[in-house]
Amino acid sequence: MSEVSILEKLRAGYHPKLPAVFAENGPWVRAATGEPTRSVADAAAISKLFPNTYGLPVVTFEPDVKRTTTALTVGVILSGGQAPGGHNVIAGILDGLEALNPDNRLLGFLGGPSGLIEDRCIRIAPDLAALYRNTGGFDMIRSGRTKVETEEQFRAVAQTCRNRGLNALVVIGGDDSNTNACLLAEDFLQNNIDVQVIGCPKTIDGDLKNAQIEASFGFATATRVYSELIGNIERDANSAQKYWHFIRLMGRSASHITLECALQTHPNVAVISEEVAAEGLTLRELAEGIAAVVRDRAAAGMNFGVVLIPEGLIEFVPEIKTLIGELSDLLAANAGLFKSLSSTDEQLQFINSKLGRESSQAFSSLPHNIQLQLLMDRDPHGNVQVSRIETEKLLVDMVKAVLREWRGAGTYSGKFSAQTHFFGYEGRCAPPCNFDADYCYSLGYTAAALIAAGKTGYMAAVRGLAGPAAQWTAGGVPLTMMMNMERRHGEDRPVIRKALVDLGGKPFAEFANRRSEWAAGNCYLYPGPIQYFGASELCDRPPLTLELECG
Ligand code: FBP
């Protein structure tokens, strides 16, 4: 990193804000504990699988006296997709550990969990961290999606911990990576390996949240980047008045990103997958709903508009959800045979011969490219890779078909010319906004304090996020508390439950109240780029959905 931009140079001097308990006491805090906890569901199965880490109490930090702690070696990994602020989590861990004891050492394992399995790491010293403070990306130690799964991999990780003399490991990741962190914590306790495991909630998708974890980091920055781009496109649409823009937004299964961006930009249509599932809409009904907005705007002389589509939409359309479930089980059970089929035609034939009647019909109704996209490899955690399914193109084609029918029937006479976009990677490595820079640094500091308190099997938790950082509180939430059983790779497995958009919650209610006005008019909002310097109301604001959720 020889040359840096002016923004990076100035931004390096930003001092992230910490919750008062740390701002006033440094990492010398006392862990106050509450009652034993239960998993969000499937308590019997989860408690059996996690006999040592199940039922731990929630931890809240309170001020304590300064004391000397023994020197520790701590490892850290970044796991899964990039999210703005990861480097600040590492900086927070480093500064927390340094303050506790200058002899503490932090090791960064390279390329995610595989770095841990293969024992590849670097020392993260203050001069290295200085190059990455307040920057986006995960390039300091990179990331990866390998899952620690087999007995051999668990033993390899244990061996790495021994080789490096680790006392603790921090896993910075999403729901699947933190599930893995919990499995590691349990495995270490079962095998008398004295290594604590702490998780940190990362993902732009915003789906790693619950009653205790208010937000995952990265969501605030990524949605600001997408909202800037959407606002720019809205202004272009309103200037040229000739295109409908169909914009697919990253976010995996949940529609949190789409909902947040809709609240920030007021598009004409925003599809929320969770609502599609709740109403049991078919793809055809969904297309008809969008086409109706196109038709009504055309009747008012507006042959243009903006539609937001969540990346994971297709998984929520009931007939496609059943199909995806069947496909995933089929592909898991016949992986070798499927791979040996040399042409895509043979693969499609094989799949069609194995699917049940309804799924086979749903599969046949899809265009060829979408069929192939649904057959692509699942990620190491068994998820369909929805970022590779071009739902925005599918919807444009379906809306076109509906409008063609309506034109034939004499109920539509407008023009429909569509542009498609996919925003995802554009936002994942943006320099963190103040909210993420502060939140991430606080999470890292909290992880260091949890390690000093001797905790394992916990996720670092910083709360009160809708208020100013000085009023935030810090502590830890047992990872088992967030778990339930889900079907993955054809088997029931313990996983941290993903948070979907709550259709009874305030953010969705706000959107539902306003959407017909946005559909009919041009109520576009242009949020512009993230501001790193200037008025607090511009720079420090948390996401709108978080403000609405936390009052
Ligand atoms: P995680 O934070 O859950 O790892 O995923 C973030 C994400 O950006 C998703 O929104 C998206 O579907 C996926 O990663 C894309 O994966 P990849 O980086 O492998 O293309």
Side-chain angles (χ1 to χ4, degrees):
M1 290 229 316
S2 48
E3 210 177 338
V4 297
S5 68
I6 298 173
L7 176 78
E8 280 179 300
K9 199 170 150 191
L10 296 178
R11 189 69 177 157
Y14 177 73
H15 293 291
K17 302 184 258 316
L18 280 171
V21 70
F22 295 136
E24 288 159 19
N25 300 275
W28 295 281
V29 287
R30 195 174 64 80
T33 52
E35 297 297 310
T37 56
R38 292 170 61 82
S39 58
V40 283
D42 308 313
I46 305 285
S47 59
K48 205 162 155 204
L49 289 166
F50 296 91
N52 295 285
T53 47
Y54 188 83
L56 295 169
V58 170
V59 163
T60 311
F61 287 128
E62 292 173 356
D64 200 3
V65 289
K66 193 167 172 173
R67 61 188 185 280
T68 314
T69 58
T70 48
L72 302 170
T73 300
V74 174
V76 62
I77 57 165
L78 291 163
S79 183
Q82 285 71 251
H87 291 150
N88 270 26
V89 181
I90 296 178
I93 301 171
L94 181 72
D95 292 356
L97 290 175
E98 278 257 307
L100 284 162
N101 183 335
D103 291 332
N104 283 342
R105 285 165 15 108
L106 182 62
L107 303 180
F109 286 86
L110 301 173
S114 63
L116 210 51
I117 296 168
E118 292 155 17
D119 193 1
R120 285 180 284 110
C121 71
I122 53 167
R123 170 95 191 263
I124 302 178
D127 55 346
L128 176 67
L131 302 174
Y132 293 93
R133 283 176 194 265
N134 307 311
T135 61
F138 281 3
D139 41 327
M140 184 203 287
I141 54 172
R142 296 181 285 108
S143 184
R145 290 200 184 277
T146 304
K147 186 176 177 193
V148 181
E149 198 163 26
T150 62
E151 182 56 24
E152 203 185 352
Q153 287 171 325
F154 275 95
R155 300 293 53 92
V157 172
Q159 189 55 47
T160 299
C161 294
R162 271 192 291 275
N163 295 346
R164 301 289 169 180
L166 290 195
N167 302 98
L169 174 66
V170 182
V171 176
I172 304 173
D175 51 344
D176 287 328
S177 309
N178 275 287
T179 296
N180 230 211
C182 194
L183 289 165
L184 274 176
E186 182 65 35
D187 179 84
F188 289 166
L189 287 171
Q190 278 182 18
N191 291 291
N192 295 318
I193 299 164
D194 196 7
V195 180
Q196 299 160 243
V197 185
I198 301 295
C200 282
K202 170 239 68 165
T203 178
I204 61 162
D205 302 347
D207 58 3
L208 177 44
K209 62 178 171 183
N210 47 53
Q212 276 73 33
I213 302 295
E214 293 177 0
S216 57
F217 78 77
F219 176 79
T221 307
T223 51
R224 287 295 306 271
V225 173
Y226 305 144
S227 296
E228 178 200 353
L229 298 176
I230 296 163
N232 294 349
I233 284 181
E234 287 175 340
R235 202 146 219 168
D236 193 287
N238 201 9
S239 304
Q241 306 215 334
K242 63 176 181 181
Y243 291 128
W244 270 90
H245 293 270
F246 280 55
I247 306 172
R248 176 165 53 108
L249 293 166
M250 239 186 198
R252 222 185 260 290
S253 303
S255 308
H256 299 291
I257 289 185
T258 299
L259 181 56
E260 173 68 28
C261 292
L263 292 170
Q264 287 194 33
T265 62
H266 303 180
N268 302 104
V269 178
V271 180
I272 302 298
S273 307
E274 291 80 348
E275 188 181 26
V276 170
E279 293 191 353
L281 294 185
T282 61
L283 269 180
R284 165 80 195 189
E285 286 165 337
L286 189 58
E288 281 175 353
I290 300 172
V293 177
V294 174
R295 178 197 59 206
D296 294 349
R297 286 178 64 83
M302 296 180 286
N303 287 299
F304 65 95
V306 171
V307 181
L308 303 187
I309 301 154
E311 173 177 83
L313 171 63
I314 197 145
E315 285 184 304
F316 284 75
V317 177
E319 80 249 28
I320 309 287
K321 183 177 179 201
T322 313
L323 166 67
I324 288 177
E326 270 189 50
L327 283 176
S328 297
D329 285 358
L330 249 175
L331 292 171
N334 300 281
L337 176 58
F338 185 75
K339 285 242 157 70
S340 72
L341 300 172
S342 50
S343 71
T344 51
D345 280 351
E346 277 178 305
Q347 291 181 338
L348 290 174
Q349 239 171 37
F350 171 77
I351 291 293
N352 262 317
S353 71
K354 298 277 177 190
L355 286 174
R357 197 170 58 84
E358 279 170 18
S359 288
S360 174
Q361 268 171 8
F363 194 59
S364 310
S365 73
L366 295 169
H368 186 69
N369 60 330
I370 302 282
Q371 288 182 336
L372 295 180
Q373 287 161 10
L374 284 176
L375 296 183
M376 284 190 284
D377 285 343
R378 273 47 183 159
D379 76 6
H381 299 272
N383 305 307
V384 175
Q385 301 195 51
V386 279
S387 63
R388 294 157 74 175
I389 301 177
E390 295 172 317
T391 327
E392 71 284 18
K393 295 191 178 154
L394 173 67
L395 279 179
V396 165
D397 287 346
M398 295 189 75
V399 168
K400 256 188 207 158
V402 173
L403 292 173
R404 212 176 300 125
E405 284 173 28
W406 289 353
R407 192 186 294 284
T411 51
Y412 168 71
S413 60
K415 285 193 200 112
F416 180 69
S417 177
Q419 300 281 355
T420 54
H421 313 262
F422 170 44
F423 297 152
Y425 300 99
E426 293 81 350
R428 297 200 312 183
C429 285
C433 61
N434 281 2
F435 175 82
D436 271 329
D438 299 345
Y439 180 38
C440 288
Y441 188 72
S442 301
L443 282 172
Y445 220 85
T446 305
L450 284 166
I451 292 167
K455 303 295 174 193
T456 189
Y458 277 83
M459 179 178 283
V462 174
R463 294 169 48 80
L465 297 173
Q471 288 169 23
W472 294 352
T473 59
V477 179
L479 288 161
T480 50
M481 194 180 175
M482 306 171 205
M483 289 204 167
N484 65 172
M485 300 297 289
E486 284 177 25
R487 202 143 180 87
R488 298 286 174 91
H489 285 306
E491 277 176 36
D492 288 332
R493 301 209 175 156
V495 288
I496 290 179
R497 183 194 266 175
K498 267 191 206 309
L500 299 179
V501 166
D502 175 8
L503 299 180
K506 287 185 190 160
F508 182 77
E510 171 71 10
F511 162 72
N513 279 339
R514 313 231 15 220
R515 63 177 150 187
S516 43
E517 178 197 342
W518 299 346
N522 299 322
C523 312
Y524 307 130
L525 263 191
Y526 312 116
I530 295 174
Q531 301 297 314
Y532 298 94
F533 302 95
S536 174
E537 62 179 327
L538 256 183
C539 300
D540 294 335
R541 199 155 177 198
L544 295 177
T545 43
L546 179 72
E547 277 185 344
L548 287 163
E549 275 160 1
C550 300

